[in-house]
Amino acid sequence: MIQEIITYKNIVCNLEDLMNNSPFKKNYIIEKVGIPSPTFYRKLKTQTFTPDEMLSIAKVLSPEENFRLELKAEIEQGKLDFENGDYITHEEMLEELRSKKLI
């Protein structure tokens, strides 16, 4: 646990460099994260982003990694759904689409 906290602190301390070295402009990151610009810059200067805000920033800075993690989570959820019988057959799906006149 200590190593994870040290790693997190290092990321927080180097966040501005990470943003400067990313292909994204800060205004884009600010827009995607949804923090008002003055608040964002104040938090950046004082290194006081919440863990949720840091996660939002990381998702913007590393979209490929974020996609892979989300995909893995969805695959795992799909496996659980299948194991629990929470699915419909192909035929049932086609019938549902036909009833909604989508095919």
Side-chain angles (χ1 to χ4, degrees), residues 21-37:
N21 293 326
S22 81
F24 306 106
K25 294 185 177 191
K26 284 185 184 151
N27 286 336
Y28 175 79
I29 297 167
I30 291 167
E31 178 184 318
K32 288 294 183 185
V33 173
I35 300 172
S37 186

Side-chain angles (χ1 to χ4, degrees), residues 77-89 92:
Q77 184 60 51
K79 288 178 182 177
L80 287 173
D81 290 346
F82 184 76
E83 289 172 7
N84 295 329
D86 188 17
Y87 62 91
I88 62 173
T89 65
E92 291 169 327

Side-chain angles (χ1 to χ4, degrees), residues 10 12 20 22 25 32 36 40 43 45 47 50 55 60 63 66 73 76-77 80 83 85-86 98-99 101:
N10 286 336
V12 171
N20 290 338
S22 81
K25 294 185 177 191
K32 288 294 183 185
F40 183 89
K43 288 184 171 213
K45 182 178 181 181
Q47 299 178 351
T50 67
L55 182 58
V60 173
N66 183 47
E76 289 304 314
Q77 184 60 51
L80 287 173
E83 289 172 7
D86 188 17
R98 282 188 191 104
S99 71
K101 300 186 189 234

